[in-house]
Amino acid sequence: MREMAGSEQQQRALMLFDTRMKKAEMFRPLIEGKVSMYVCGVTPYDFSHARAYVAFDVLYRYLKYLGYEVEYVRNFTDIDDKIIRRANEAGETATSLSSRFIDEFLRDMVELQCLPPTREPRVTEHTKEIIDLITKIEEKGKAYTIEGDGVYFSVDNFPEYLSLSGRSLDHNLPGSRVAVDTRKRNPADFALWKSAKEGEPFWESPWGRGRPGWHIECSAMSGHYLGHAFDIHGGGKDLIFPHHENELAQSRAAYPESEVKCWMHNGFVNNNGQKMAKADKNFFTIRDIIALYHPMALRLFLMRTHYRSDVNHSDAGLEFASGRVYYIYQTLQDSEEVISLYRDDELDVPVPAGDRKVVDDNHESFLRHMSNDLHTTGALDELMKPVRAMNNNLSDLK
């Protein structure tokens, strides 16, 4: 995509839905002309899905198209209970397993034509920053140690807790990766640092050998690369609670000036009306789908649903996307073949007024839809008008 001219940028206001504010608002970056964005990446213990990474690649591309300089950070959670368990089952180290699936994930991103982020940090390479952040939280009186277990964040000492999700603490339940422990001051308190069990990978720390809790990594790495205040934090809507809620709490507990201007979350991919999840064995990976369909068919299939809405996985939907991708590519190939016949001729033929209007209308509708919280459904539907016009003109030339 070409970048917009300066006057065009000023005319096009970008509206983005902020999860915390629960409404779409005008996007205004902290620094004019620059955008800082952090998206939670994969836990690499198996092949992955595509929804979040396509959704935020669309945002990344559109911000660049609007002329912004974008610092895009997407992490790898390369140490985790699931990684350790899967590595033990496979008879390999956690590092070997996670590195292998990071490589596989990056291959998938290339297949889906997702642009590489500016930075892709790994948790295991940032334990110093994580330990420093936990120490800061402790110094502020927002954390405590359970002997032999680790360091926990005290939600009772952070009045803003649950301001992102809007949940009630009375109805709060521990997240899927949070073990209930009667030694915790509040059942909702969550691990910042986990003491190492026998045979587990570990790092030295002021609290003994251990490893980072799940949530602290993103607070530490986003702060390290983007600063304590940045523009956009993204991920799947399953991360709103507990992961992003706990991130927000950690960051602001350590540095009250911490701020995310816009929290963005994509919807689920459902299979037969149920959220796809590996634990429920109803999960389709990128590899599963692109073994049957062109990668661009999967990308188009996902983009045909607005990023905040849930996508229902269906063969019919993928078949439709596959047919549409074929139609677009075939039109481009046919156009190239016809143009090549006249490439050596010095032709100066004006674009017919009707065709020029189709192009101009499409450009305007693209900007209108995309600047309305990335309404890709409308933008893709409008795209078919110039494609059909191209086909009609090709018919006249053949």
Side-chain angles (χ1 to χ4, degrees):
M1 289 189 290
R2 70 172 180 84
E3 290 189 359
M4 294 174 64
S7 59
E8 206 173 10
Q9 292 175 34
Q10 294 168 7
Q11 295 169 0
R12 185 57 53 181
L14 174 60
M15 302 292 291
L16 295 176
F17 189 91
D18 182 355
T19 301
R20 191 176 189 188
M21 301 306 294
K22 298 176 176 54
K23 63 180 180 178
E25 295 189 321
M26 185 85 71
F27 176 68
R28 294 185 178 89
L30 291 165
I31 300 173
E32 186 176 354
K34 297 186 177 182
V35 176
S36 47
M37 179 169 75
Y38 187 96
V39 173
C40 289
V42 295
T43 301
Y45 69 96
D46 205 338
F47 293 104
S48 189
H49 61 88
R51 182 79 197 277
Y53 311 111
V54 169
F56 287 100
D57 180 67
V58 169
L59 174 60
Y60 183 35
R61 286 173 177 271
Y62 192 58
L63 289 168
K64 288 165 70 70
Y65 173 74
L66 293 177
Y68 289 108
E69 179 184 333
V70 185
E71 181 83 0
Y72 176 19
V73 180
R74 186 182 67 206
N75 74 296
F76 288 110
T77 301
D78 62 336
I79 187 66
D80 170 270
D81 290 338
K82 293 178 182 177
I83 292 173
I84 294 170
R85 184 163 54 250
R86 182 68 64 87
N88 289 339
E89 291 169 357
E92 62 182 310
T93 66
T95 300
S96 170
L97 181 97
S98 61
S99 295
R100 179 157 52 87
F101 280 110
I102 286 172
D103 290 342
E104 298 291 358
F105 172 79
L106 293 175
R107 289 190 188 98
D108 288 342
M109 293 299 98
V110 171
E111 290 278 15
L112 291 172
Q113 295 190 22
C114 292
L115 297 176
T118 316
R119 301 178 187 275
E120 295 181 282
R122 304 185 187 197
V123 174
T124 56
E125 296 171 353
H126 294 80
T127 52
K128 178 188 181 300
E129 290 82 3
I130 291 169
I131 289 170
D132 289 346
L133 183 59
I134 296 172
T135 301
K136 189 79 170 178
I137 295 170
E138 249 189 344
E139 291 171 353
K140 294 293 184 73
K142 303 291 195 295
Y144 60 93
T145 301
I146 296 179
E147 190 63 35
D149 192 36
V151 183
Y152 282 81
F153 187 91
S154 175
V155 300
D156 291 332
N157 289 351
F158 186 72
E160 293 179 50
Y161 192 60
L162 301 179
S163 62
L164 175 63
S165 63
R167 294 166 65 107
S168 166
L169 195 57
D170 294 336
H171 299 99
N172 193 26
L173 296 173
S176 60
R177 304 189 193 190
V178 182
V180 177
D181 191 325
T182 56
R183 295 173 295 173
K184 294 198 292 185
R185 297 175 184 175
N186 185 312
D189 292 349
F190 55 89
L192 301 173
W193 186 263
K194 303 174 78 169
S195 297
K197 298 182 177 68
E198 185 67 31
E200 287 188 348
F202 64 84
W203 288 261
E204 299 290 349
S205 80
W207 315 283
R209 292 177 171 179
R211 57 188 170 87
W214 174 27
H215 316 292
I216 193 68
E217 62 188 67
C218 291
S219 290
M221 289 189 288
S222 63
H224 179 67
Y225 289 107
L226 301 177
H228 301 305
F230 58 95
D231 293 306
I232 297 170
H233 197 321
K237 68 180 182 181
D238 54 329
L239 298 183
I240 297 173
F241 181 87
H243 185 51
H244 287 169
E245 190 73 73
N246 293 352
E247 264 192 72
L248 186 154
Q250 294 163 160
S251 297
R252 288 184 61 80
Y255 298 96
E257 69 274 20
S258 292
E259 177 189 13
V260 172
K261 290 278 289 182
C262 183
W263 291 87
M264 296 180 67
H265 295 92
N266 62 272
F268 297 138
V269 177
N270 295 329
N271 185 20
N272 295 321
Q274 181 182 10
K275 174 183 175 282
M276 285 208 312
K278 291 174 184 174
D280 296 327
K281 298 186 171 154
N282 68 341
F283 189 86
F284 294 95
T285 67
I286 297 169
R287 296 293 173 88
D288 293 332
I289 297 173
I290 66 175
L292 302 173
Y293 299 95
H294 193 284
M296 288 301 95
L298 173 56
R299 185 178 176 102
L300 182 66
F301 169 74
L302 294 172
M303 289 173 60
R304 277 188 54 76
T305 299
H306 185 256
Y307 78 92
R308 285 194 290 114
S309 300
D310 291 351
V311 175
N312 191 49
H313 174 89
S314 71
D315 290 341
L318 283 164
E319 289 287 351
F320 177 86
S322 183
R324 184 151 283 191
V325 165
Y326 177 82
Y327 180 74
I328 293 170
Y329 275 90
Q330 188 65 55
T331 301
L332 294 174
Q333 180 177 325
D334 290 347
S335 298
E336 177 60 29
E337 288 176 357
V338 169
I339 291 170
S340 68
L341 298 175
Y342 304 96
R343 188 158 280 134
D344 294 334
D345 299 334
E346 295 183 8
L347 299 177
D348 185 14
V349 180
V351 177
D355 290 339
R356 168 52 59 190
K357 185 175 187 307
V358 169
V359 172
D360 291 343
D361 287 352
N362 179 254
H363 180 61
E364 176 55 34
S365 67
F366 171 78
L367 292 171
R368 184 176 66 254
H369 286 301
M370 291 299 292
S371 291
N372 180 22
D373 195 30
L374 307 180
H375 206 293
T376 51
T377 310
L380 288 169
D381 286 344
E382 291 290 333
L383 173 64
M384 298 314 295
K385 293 178 181 177
V387 175
R388 292 189 188 101
M390 290 167 66
N391 258 308
N392 291 337
N393 287 335
L394 286 168
S395 298
D396 295 339
L397 291 169
K398 285 180 179 177

